[in-house]
Amino acid sequence: MTPLTWLYAPGDRPERVAEALVAGADVVVVDLEDAVAPDRKEYARAATAELLGEPQPVPVHVRVNAPGSPPAAADLAALAALPGVSGLRLPKVAAPRQVVRVARRTARAGTPLYALLETALAVEHAHAIATAHPALRGIALGETDLRADLGVRDDRGLDWSRCRVVVAARAAGLPPPPQSVHPDVRDLEGLAASCAHGRALGFLGRAALHPRQLPVIERAHLPTRRELEEAETVIGAAAAAPGAQALPDGRFVDTAVVAAARRTLSLARRP
C-alpha cells in the first residue's frame, strides 16, 4: 500500500504512541529526536524498545537521533533489529557518508532507512544522499530546521528546495517524498491548502503531528473524481488503440500519460 500519512508520536510518551497506533495513520513515527528532551532520551529509547519488541498493527518507523550524535549509536543498537520496527528515519542528514555509516551498522538487521534533509547543505547534496546506499528507501525535507537555516520567512521561499528534493527522489528511483509537517494542528483549512500546493509540486502524502490532520492529508492526496474519470478514459483509449493518439477532448495520450493514469488508479485502489 502506498502510504499517505505518517503520524509522529514522542518516544517518551508510550501512551501517546499507543494512541497513534490506532489513530488510522498509514505509518506511525516514534520520535526519539526533537520531541524528546535530552534527559529523557534513555527512557524514550527503553520504552520504544519495549513496545516494538513485537510486531505492531501498522508499520512503525523510529526517528532516531542524528547520525554522529551521542545517543545515535545507542538508538541503532537497541532498535534496528526489533520485529516492530519497519524503518529508521535519520534526521539532519547532510552527506551520503552518514547514510552509508548507518547502513553498515544496521546491515544485519536489514531495516529500511529514510533520510531527512534539514539544511541548505543537505538540499545541495539531495541526489547524492538519495543514491548513497540500497538500504535507503526514501528522502524527505525537515522544513522547520531548513526554514531557520535559510532565514526564510515566507513559505514560498521553500519551494525551490521542495522541488529539488522531489526531483532528487525520483531521479534516484525512490518514491515521491511526503511533505513535512504542518505545525499548526488546529489550522485544518491551512493544512488542506498547503497539501494541495505540495501535491502540485510532486509530493505524495504528508507527516502529521495530530490525528485530526490525517483525514485532511488523505483527502488532499487521493485522486479526485474528475482525475479518476480522466485516468479511466486514458486507460480505455489506450486499450482500444495502442500507441499515441488524441482523445476527443483534445488531450494527447502517449506512454507517459498512460503510466500516469495507471498510477492514479492504483492510488485510488489502496485499501
Side-chain angles (χ1 to χ4, degrees):
M1 181 182 74
T2 302
L4 293 181
T5 52
W6 288 258
L7 178 59
Y8 275 89
D12 63 340
R13 299 283 300 278
E15 73 283 0
R16 292 275 297 277
V17 177
E19 292 170 359
L21 289 170
V22 296
D26 295 328
V27 179
V28 169
V29 183
V30 181
D31 190 6
L32 302 184
E33 195 218 8
D34 286 347
V36 178
D39 62 350
R40 300 270 291 176
K41 297 285 188 184
E42 288 189 18
Y43 169 72
R45 183 185 308 117
T48 301
E50 181 178 358
L51 174 68
L52 301 181
E54 57 187 31
Q56 298 300 312
V58 297
V60 178
H61 292 189
V62 179
R63 181 164 78 171
V64 297
N65 285 280
S69 67
D75 290 345
L76 297 176
L79 301 166
L82 294 181
V85 176
S86 300
L88 295 173
R89 304 187 80 79
L90 312 179
K92 298 178 175 61
V93 173
R97 65 179 179 274
Q98 294 172 293
V99 175
V100 173
R101 287 171 183 166
V102 174
R104 288 173 177 167
R105 299 190 72 161
T106 59
R108 184 171 297 179
T111 310
L113 306 178
Y114 299 82
L116 300 176
L117 315 185
E118 306 184 54
T119 63
L121 182 60
V123 173
E124 282 296 294
H125 290 165
H127 185 257
I129 292 170
T131 55
H133 196 278
L136 189 75
R137 306 295 173 79
I139 61 173
L141 278 178
E143 292 190 358
T144 300
D145 283 27
L146 180 61
R147 189 186 301 272
D149 190 35
L150 296 176
V152 169
R153 297 186 178 183
D154 190 303
D155 188 70
R156 292 172 297 179
L158 293 177
D159 279 357
W160 184 89
S161 298
R162 291 165 174 156
C163 292
R164 177 72 176 268
V165 170
V166 168
V167 171
R170 301 305 294 138
L174 299 176
Q179 288 180 266
S180 185
V181 297
H182 185 71
D184 188 342
V185 299
R186 297 180 180 177
D187 179 24
L188 299 185
E189 188 173 317
L191 171 62
S194 177
C195 286
H197 180 61
R199 188 181 178 202
L201 294 179
F203 288 98
L204 182 61
R206 188 166 200 163
L209 295 173
H210 193 281
R212 69 166 62 98
Q213 296 178 311
L214 300 178
V216 178
I217 294 169
E218 187 169 89
R219 282 196 303 270
H221 285 277
L222 283 174
T224 64
R225 179 177 297 180
R226 180 176 179 180
E227 288 169 339
L228 287 174
E229 291 173 350
E230 291 176 347
E232 289 168 350
T233 298
V234 167
I235 296 298
Q245 60 180 296
L247 298 179
D249 62 8
R251 283 181 295 152
F252 182 74
V253 175
D254 62 5
T255 303
V257 174
V258 173
R262 287 178 177 149
R263 286 196 299 269
T264 297
L265 295 180
S266 175
L267 187 59
R269 291 169 184 153
R270 63 196 295 276

